[in-house]
Amino acid sequence: MFEGLPWEVGQDRLEVLTGRSLRDVSPLLAADALLEVDPLALLDLDQSVAEEGVAQAQSARNTVTALQAIVIEAVARRVEHDVEVAKDADRLSGQFPAGWGTGDDCTPSVLAPLLHLPPRTMAGRLGEARVLVNELPRTLRAALDGELEPWRVGAVVAGSFGVSSERMPDYEVALFGEGGLGDATAGVLRKRAERVAAKVDPGVLEQ
């Protein structure tokens, strides 16, 4: 976790608090170890160690948020399947299944109570998760690796609005380039993403 930082008193203190070394462990494991420590003790950390803790905790959060997007997609697929099965049953019984809607219509109501969100807000979260998981594999991988914060993932997803599925690979290749997304803020990244989207799929401008 602290590779690259000098072995200072603050790091010695952290090892004493957790009862183990946090070198060469993933941010998720480091966060798990720190959660076992008295929060008041963490307030006395050396500044450089506390700053690294902030960065590593964020990396762990990035990973968990990306993982949540994947399981949101899993729920959406199951609900979508159940809705289609119910529609088929209605058709077989001679009924017109007009009232069923689609899986995306039903899934927000399933997930919203779990996240304590109104269905309309959950619908937005669902849409973002589905695009991320199904259309943006490189962005998803970067998020799972802890490199992309949720707000920067959101900028990439929002910037892709209107890009056809066929052009999505080109969108990611052009957006990431050879050096990745770097340290661009969400706002800067959103503008870059919109420019890239218009370049790889001119149809975006017509929407």
Side-chain angles (χ1 to χ4, degrees):
M1 175 178 176
F2 297 106
E3 184 177 358
L5 289 176
W7 189 251
E8 299 172 329
V9 175
Q11 293 180 359
D12 290 334
R13 172 64 174 159
L14 192 60
E15 186 171 276
V16 169
L17 290 173
T18 60
R20 50 180 147 160
S21 173
L22 297 184
R23 288 184 178 273
D24 301 322
V25 302
S26 72
L28 285 172
L29 290 177
D32 183 61
L34 293 176
L35 285 171
E36 299 175 6
V37 176
D38 181 354
L40 293 179
L42 294 177
L43 294 176
D44 292 328
L45 290 176
D46 176 82
Q47 181 177 337
S48 63
V49 178
E51 289 176 357
E52 180 67 7
V54 170
Q56 294 297 328
Q58 182 61 56
S59 181
R61 180 185 175 190
N62 300 345
T63 298
V64 171
T65 302
L67 176 62
Q68 186 184 60
I70 293 173
V71 290
I72 284 174
E73 170 63 19
V75 172
R77 292 185 183 190
R78 300 304 176 272
V79 172
E80 196 170 62
H81 174 267
D82 290 346
V83 167
E84 292 307 312
V85 168
K87 285 182 178 181
D88 288 341
D90 278 355
R91 292 188 185 98
L92 289 173
S93 64
Q95 302 178 52
F96 183 71
W100 278 104
T102 66
D104 283 347
D105 294 327
C106 300
T107 303
S109 295
V110 173
L111 290 172
L114 301 178
L115 302 184
H116 305 101
L117 292 172
R120 184 183 297 272
T121 302
M122 188 64 239
R125 290 280 298 274
L126 171 64
E128 180 177 304
R130 302 210 74 178
V131 171
L132 175 64
V133 175
N134 294 308
E135 304 282 359
L136 299 169
R138 187 169 177 180
T139 305
L140 177 62
R141 184 71 262 168
L144 285 170
D145 289 343
E147 299 171 3
L148 276 184
E149 300 83 1
W151 42 93
R152 295 210 292 162
V153 171
V156 174
V157 173
S160 73
F161 178 74
V163 177
S164 65
S165 295
E166 294 77 13
R167 294 292 186 181
M168 278 293 199
D170 298 330
Y171 169 76
E172 276 200 303
V173 168
L175 183 61
F176 276 79
E178 295 183 359
L181 301 180
D183 295 325
T185 64
V188 170
L189 188 55
R190 172 69 181 270
K191 291 179 181 178
R192 185 198 305 175
E194 290 174 346
R195 290 195 299 269
V196 168
K199 183 176 181 180
V200 301
D201 191 346
V204 169
L205 300 176
E206 299 174 4
Q207 299 185 35

